Amino acid sequence: MDIKWDQILIIEEPIMFWTFIGLIVSSIGLVAGLTYFKKWGWLWREWLTSTDAKKVGIMYIVLAIVMLVRGGIDALMMKYQTAVPENTFLSSQHFNEVFSAHGTIMIFFMAMPILFGIMNLVVPLQIGARDVAFPKLNLLGFWITTAAAVLYNIAFLVGGSPDAGWTSYFPLAGKEFTPGIGNNYYYVALQISGFGSMIIAINFMVTILKMRAPGMGLFKMPMFTWTTLITCLIMIIAFPIFTIALLAGMLDRVFGSHFFTVADGGLDMMWANLFWLWAHPEVYIVVLPAFGIISEVVATFSKKRLYGYHSMVWAVIVISVFSLLVWVHHFYTMGVGPTVNSVFSITTLAIAVPTGIKLFNWLFTMRKGRIAFEQPMLWALGFIPTFLIGGVTGVMLGMASADFQYHNTLFLVAHFHYTLVGGVVYAVFAAIYYWWPKFFGFKLNHKLGNWHFWLFNVGFNLSFFPLFFLGLDGAARRMYTYSAETGFGPLYMLSFIGTLLIAAGVVFFVINMVYSSLKEKRITDRDVWGTGRTLEWLVPTPVPAYNFAVIPKVEALDEVWHRKETGKALAFDEKEIKDIHMPSHSGLPFYMFVAFFISGFLFVWEFQALAIASLALPFLGMAINSFTSYDEGYYIPAKEVIETERKGGGEQQWKAK
Amino acid sequence: MESKITNYSVPTEYQSELGKMNILGFWIFIAAEIILFATLFALYGVYHDRIGDGPAGPEVFVIKDVVIQTVLLLTSSFTCGYVITSMRRGNVKGAIVWIAITLLFGLGFLVMEINEFIHYVNAGLAIQTSAFGSSLLTLLGTHGAHVTFGLFWGIILAIQLAQRGITAFTASKVHIWSIYWHFLDVVWIFVFTFVYLGGLM
């Protein structure tokens, strides 16, 4: 080990120092608040150990929003640093750490958890199930992801943040060029978060394949459920590759092996290949559920059936296949030669076809529809042009010969922010506004929502559109500063102003959540928006723990809409209600959180023997689980279910609008 | 879940809904494991002749020992099959005894593999030696770690069988473990073919 013990806590710089103080003060405040209001027991019983998929989903979303703020502050710091030439706000080292953290956190601890959260909330409802296939495993997935997030997020104070970019290319990321332990956080934390993703993938695949309501064939599933299924499939194929890549990277750094080193036969470009073999599918892992969300929102608020449902499904499947065949386009400049580049260029451009089909289908869904400009629809409408810009510039980047011009410039940065923010984040906001009332029993405020949308939308375009031009002018990504002669200054400044608007938009979003939970009108309508199409609008609002009092029999795609149109009764006979079986709470996933955190921490700090020994901790948890898995769960009595159903708008008359 | 087996038209392990879902979930997990090992094989395929200053494969491989290892593991897969047949006949004792025999073969394999690693290190091939050493030992080590996990898992399940007998739920657990055990055997066949036999050619 080459650790300098006096450098464990990194608080010399004022930014670090004040962040450290801020963290300590807010943690003390949180603990004091929970103690003062005697909420510890409630927190533990109702949330931290809850195997209810809805609560797990909400916890995922809370984690993701906290991470969004952290990653967002990183973004603001970067943009402030580059707003003017020769700025000295951040040192080059600090800048490296900040952009690495921004990328890693936004992908692993913001985008993925927030989508996992939405899946947890929505998928069981959409397929007419009471729960996910493996409720305890589901909670474990959340806690493992959280362990990884906490581990990664303490890095900047304890030992140093990873500084080789979110791609962490070797040999830069190796020990020769990045000594110290900071970069270990990347390999260990992401390895742990990968386990969490794998759990989600298996759980939701089984849930969707096995637990659909009777009558719901695969081609009667809502689009969001379809995209979740395909996303899980890609995760199962892609994540193990990353697991091995991270393992090899960790072995290289901590145990001195030679996978990606320059010496002794290692190949640094092997990392790039393995990384992108996973990371390109990863882009689709986050964007496919977003497509699903947009499909639901556009159909609901256009009051029309989704145009070309079958072509939508096949487009998603085709995208998932192609997603695994394009990874080399991330390093055309590696020098594999024109033949290989051409092949990957063609597969890359081919992805534009199914994606284009999806865009046109959304447009055709809206055509002649009676569009309601509710909040979710605003985000969906914002999504289409922004994502289109991302897609079209993607085609530009996909052309291998042209890519030599764009490679590693801000043009690329602008492109992937247009797909990931314009695609994923817009869709996530649409999803939050869309499904929020279903779970909390009130809508988010319309006016504040408008502020959120317009500030974010204008800010986003102001922030990233200039980057296209900067990139074409030759501004490289990840540059911590530039000279005034380059002439980059004004556009960089514009971009910074845009970032401020984005931040203001997010502030309005947070204010909206707080304001609406205090002030907004409570609603108990099952079909919150009046034009709901899928099964989640059949259950009471807010959704009871058991989801469906009686499992519905499905006859059509868009079952609720179908029932409203055919005048079929949406309510059920109360005599059909029986006692409902529910899974027990479990503290074991929380133990696994602690176990993974400790073990991960020891690996990061290169206590080799101790780290390997500490792997016994999670395995012990698994053994305990095996012995205690005979728990029978509990039952909600039929009487209680009937009461809840009556209270939750059960007698409401349903009519097609 | 503890209900007695009454329906003999379906194998024991498929009789509960939970058991069925667990088994499907585990097959999906196996799919992920296949990709995991495929990646390790790919790494080995690229690195097998990138030996740096260290020894090459044929210089250090002891084929006789590897053949014994292979026989041990293949036999354990065979006896693992008997675990399932005893279980389906409702024979708890038989199932536990066959699990014990399977685990003994597995343990034998593991002891020989550890020996093999010690031999490699003595012969000057460690994960720090070369890309070849890193990829070889990571591939073998990952497989060996899986076998070790399977050993503990088998012990835990044997205890549960003794405690609770054969129910739809315990049967699905044992069935899942047997899928895992057979899978490790299949991986080993690839290791034997590509690493050892391929190395000798």
Side-chain angles (χ1 to χ4, degrees):
Chain A
M1 274 197 314
D2 51 352
I3 300 161
K4 295 192 190 72
W5 290 98
D6 56 324
Q7 285 182 2
I8 291 177
L9 211 56
I10 300 168
I11 47 174
E12 290 101 59
E13 285 187 59
I15 304 173
M16 299 291 204
F17 179 74
W18 287 110
T19 316
F20 184 64
I21 298 296
L23 273 177
I24 287 186
V25 169
S26 50
S27 324
I28 291 173
L30 195 66
V31 170
L34 282 168
T35 314
Y36 181 77
F37 292 108
K38 297 200 174 65
K39 288 289 185 192
W40 282 107
W42 165 82
L43 184 68
W44 177 256
R45 279 190 310 274
E46 295 292 316
W47 291 95
L48 305 187
T49 61
S50 170
T51 48
D52 181 346
K54 294 177 284 297
K55 290 192 171 164
V56 174
I58 289 168
M59 289 197 289
Y60 263 119
I61 292 174
V62 170
L63 170 74
I65 289 176
V66 172
M67 290 294 119
L68 174 73
V69 172
R70 154 93 213 254
I73 291 171
D74 286 336
L76 279 171
M77 295 203 312
M78 278 190 280
K79 284 294 171 188
Y80 180 61
Q81 161 68 21
T82 55
V84 290
E86 315 275 8
N87 201 353
T88 52
F89 172 63
L90 296 175
S91 65
S92 64
Q93 171 61 24
H94 200 158
F95 190 80
N96 291 348
E97 293 179 11
V98 169
F99 74 66
S100 305
H102 171 76
T104 314
I105 285 173
M106 285 302 201
I107 290 284
F108 288 93
F109 305 126
M110 194 284 284
M112 291 184 76
I114 210 159
L115 290 168
F116 293 166
I118 295 169
M119 288 176 193
N120 262 298
L121 289 170
V122 176
V123 168
L125 289 173
Q126 283 200 330
I127 61 173
R130 289 206 171 117
D131 210 332
V132 290
F134 311 118
K136 205 200 290 182
L137 192 69
N138 196 25
L139 182 62
L140 176 66
F142 165 75
W143 278 116
I144 288 182
T145 309
T146 309
V150 174
L151 191 63
Y152 191 88
N153 275 281
I154 60 165
F156 78 107
L157 289 173
V158 190
S161 208
D163 56 359
W166 87 280
T167 49
S168 212
Y169 272 11
F170 283 85
L172 172 64
K175 271 283 183 197
E176 303 103 304
F177 296 99
T178 313
I181 62 123
N183 246 24
N184 296 347
Y185 277 106
Y186 178 89
Y187 301 96
V188 178
L190 297 195
Q191 187 74 281
I192 295 172
S193 99
F195 298 144
S197 308
M198 210 63 205
I199 286 173
I200 283 280
I202 293 174
N203 194 359
F204 276 87
M205 212 157 171
V206 178
T207 306
I208 294 172
L209 291 178
K210 280 278 188 189
M211 294 177 70
R212 297 193 308 277
M216 184 180 274
L218 281 176
F219 278 91
K220 284 192 185 128
M221 296 196 310
M223 265 319 287
F224 181 68
T225 304
W226 252 115
T227 52
T228 302
L229 179 68
I230 300 298
T231 302
C232 292
L233 183 73
I234 310 179
M235 280 202 269
I236 283 157
I237 297 171
F239 260 90
I241 304 171
F242 195 42
T243 302
I244 292 302
L246 289 170
L247 174 73
M250 189 274 287
L251 288 174
D252 267 16
R253 286 189 57 88
V254 180
F255 294 89
S257 64
H258 289 287
F259 286 101
F260 310 126
T261 56
V262 181
D264 294 315
L267 288 167
D268 46 359
M269 281 315 288
M270 180 61 91
W271 165 266
N273 276 287
L274 292 180
F275 178 83
W276 286 111
L277 256 167
W278 159 80
H280 197 84
E282 167 69 17
V283 175
Y284 292 94
I285 290 169
V286 291
V287 91
L288 287 185
F291 288 169
I293 293 164
I294 296 297
S295 303
E296 303 289 351
V297 168
V298 166
T300 302
F301 294 100
S302 304
K303 305 187 179 77
K304 276 179 69 190
R305 185 191 152 118
L306 183 66
Y307 185 90
Y309 170 82
H310 280 78
S311 66
M312 283 301 227
V313 173
W314 284 109
V316 171
I317 295 171
V318 170
I319 289 174
S320 76
V321 174
F322 274 106
S323 75
L324 296 155
L325 301 173
V326 298
W327 77 94
V328 171
H329 73 209
H330 293 273
F331 41 88
Y332 283 139
T333 53
M334 175 173 84
V336 279
T339 320
V340 175
N341 277 358
S342 308
V343 170
F344 282 92
S345 195
I346 290 165
T347 52
T348 305
L349 299 184
I351 289 193
V353 177
T355 318
I357 290 174
K358 297 191 79 71
L359 276 168
F360 279 113
N361 281 345
W362 290 317
L363 294 178
F364 285 133
T365 308
M366 285 188 260
R367 184 172 170 268
K368 291 190 173 176
R370 296 224 305 281
I371 297 176
F373 289 92
E374 297 281 359
Q375 291 307 322
M377 192 60 180
L378 276 186
W379 285 101
L381 289 172
F383 166 97
I384 291 174
T386 30
F387 188 75
L388 180 67
I389 294 172
V392 170
T393 50
V395 171
M396 291 169 74
L397 283 156
M399 290 182 279
S401 42
D403 177 68
F404 280 67
Q405 281 301 313
Y406 315 130
H407 189 79
N408 267 359
T409 65
L410 290 179
F411 188 87
L412 168 78
V413 175
H415 153 71
F416 72 71
H417 280 86
Y418 264 90
T419 54
L420 286 174
V421 181
V424 183
V425 177
Y426 277 47
V428 162
F429 282 134
I432 290 176
Y433 282 97
Y434 183 48
W435 281 301
W436 181 284
K438 187 79 235 172
F439 295 95
F440 297 105
F442 58 91
K443 287 183 188 175
L444 289 171
N445 184 278
H446 192 75
K447 216 176 226 169
L448 289 169
N450 274 343
W451 277 100
H452 172 204
F453 173 74
W454 286 109
L455 281 171
F456 196 101
N457 198 23
V458 171
F460 171 75
N461 284 293
L462 204 57
S463 187
F464 289 97
F465 210 76
L467 298 195
F468 285 124
F469 300 105
L470 278 174
L472 289 178
D473 281 347
R477 72 194 289 208
R478 295 172 173 175
M479 275 199 320
Y480 83 106
T481 192
Y482 51 93
S483 63
E485 294 88 78
T486 55
F488 296 157
L491 285 178
Y492 261 125
M493 177 54 94
L494 201 59
S495 179
F496 170 61
I497 294 168
T499 317
L500 289 179
L501 292 184
I502 296 178
V506 174
V507 168
F508 268 98
F509 172 57
V510 175
I511 292 174
N512 196 354
M513 290 194 287
V514 177
Y515 173 85
S516 302
S517 39
L518 299 174
K519 298 273 181 181
E520 276 297 301
K521 192 169 80 72
R522 305 291 124 164
I523 39 181
T524 52
D525 300 357
R526 291 174 184 237
D527 186 3
V528 175
W529 300 101
T531 52
R533 312 184 70 83
T534 41
L535 284 177
E536 68 264 36
W537 309 110
L538 196 61
V539 299
T541 302
V543 185
Y546 52 80
N547 291 1
F548 292 88
V550 174
I551 300 291
K553 290 197 176 52
V554 177
E555 287 171 5
L557 174 71
D558 295 343
E559 175 68 14
V560 168
W561 187 263
H562 170 74
R563 288 187 185 192
K564 286 189 279 192
E565 276 200 322
T566 53
K568 236 182 85 184
L570 284 147
F572 41 80
D573 189 355
E574 284 182 1
K575 287 187 196 96
E576 289 175 59
I577 296 177
K578 298 190 183 76
D579 293 355
I580 294 175
H581 178 252
M582 300 294 291
S584 298
H585 289 194
S586 174
L588 213 51
F590 184 80
Y591 163 81
M592 293 295 266
F593 160 76
V594 178
F596 270 105
F597 180 80
I598 292 173
S599 195
F601 193 80
L602 292 172
F603 270 101
V604 168
W605 284 86
E606 302 181 2
F607 298 104
Q608 297 169 349
L610 203 59
I612 292 171
S614 74
L615 286 177
L617 290 173
F619 287 127
L620 180 70
M622 291 172 82
I624 295 171
N625 179 59
S626 182
F627 282 109
T628 54
S629 59
Y630 295 89
D631 185 285
E632 297 269 348
Y634 67 99
Y635 283 86
I636 301 179
K639 228 178 82 196
E640 209 181 305
V641 174
I642 292 170
E643 259 169 49
T644 317
E645 290 291 316
R646 281 182 183 161
K647 206 167 51 193
E651 285 123 322
Q652 178 193 351
Q653 284 301 307
W654 298 70
K655 271 189 193 131
K657 291 194 183 176
Chain B
M1 279 173 240
E2 298 277 329
S3 58
K4 262 223 157 326
I5 306 300
T6 48
N7 176 4
Y8 290 95
S9 61
V10 185
T12 327
E13 63 270 19
Y14 285 100
Q15 292 201 353
S16 72
E17 268 312 304
L18 184 63
K20 273 192 249 178
M21 287 206 289
N22 285 351
I23 291 169
L24 176 65
F26 197 77
W27 275 114
I28 297 172
F29 173 73
I30 290 286
E33 287 273 82
I34 289 171
I35 311 270
L36 186 111
F37 278 103
T39 313
L40 283 169
F41 277 112
L43 279 177
Y44 181 78
V46 174
Y47 289 140
H48 74 281
D49 54 359
R50 303 182 68 89
I51 55 173
D53 300 326
E59 294 169 37
V60 289
F61 291 158
V62 186
I63 282 303
K64 196 187 88 205
D65 287 5
V66 175
V67 170
I68 298 172
Q69 268 178 285
T70 309
V71 171
L72 284 174
L73 203 64
L74 289 187
T75 316
S76 84
S77 219
F78 177 70
T79 57
C80 183
Y82 270 103
V83 175
I84 302 300
T85 39
S86 327
M87 199 177 72
R88 286 184 181 167
R89 282 201 207 106
N91 181 354
V92 188
K93 238 181 224 158
I96 294 174
V97 169
W98 282 114
I99 288 179
I101 294 171
T102 307
L103 295 185
L104 280 178
F105 278 113
L107 189 66
F109 169 85
L110 210 60
V111 170
M112 295 214 44
E113 182 156 62
I114 292 167
N115 243 341
E116 186 191 344
F117 281 14
I118 294 170
H119 162 74
Y120 289 156
V121 173
N122 287 338
L125 183 73
I127 62 166
Q128 292 90 351
T129 312
S130 60
F132 162 67
S134 304
S135 60
L136 173 76
L137 294 171
T138 307
L139 172 59
L140 296 180
T142 307
H143 179 264
H146 275 76
V147 174
T148 317
F149 182 79
L151 282 182
F152 284 106
W153 189 358
I155 294 169
I156 285 171
L157 289 186
I159 296 170
Q160 289 176 31
L161 273 183
Q163 284 174 339
R164 295 166 189 273
I166 295 168
T167 65
F169 191 45
T170 51
S172 75
K173 284 185 164 199
V174 175
H175 182 75
I176 287 168
W177 168 78
S178 82
I179 295 172
Y180 179 80
W181 197 264
H182 290 307
F183 168 71
L184 295 184
D185 213 24
V186 173
V187 172
W188 182 258
I189 290 170
F190 281 89
V191 172
F192 185 70
T193 318
F194 288 118
V195 176
Y196 296 108
L197 294 186
L200 288 186
M201 275 198 301

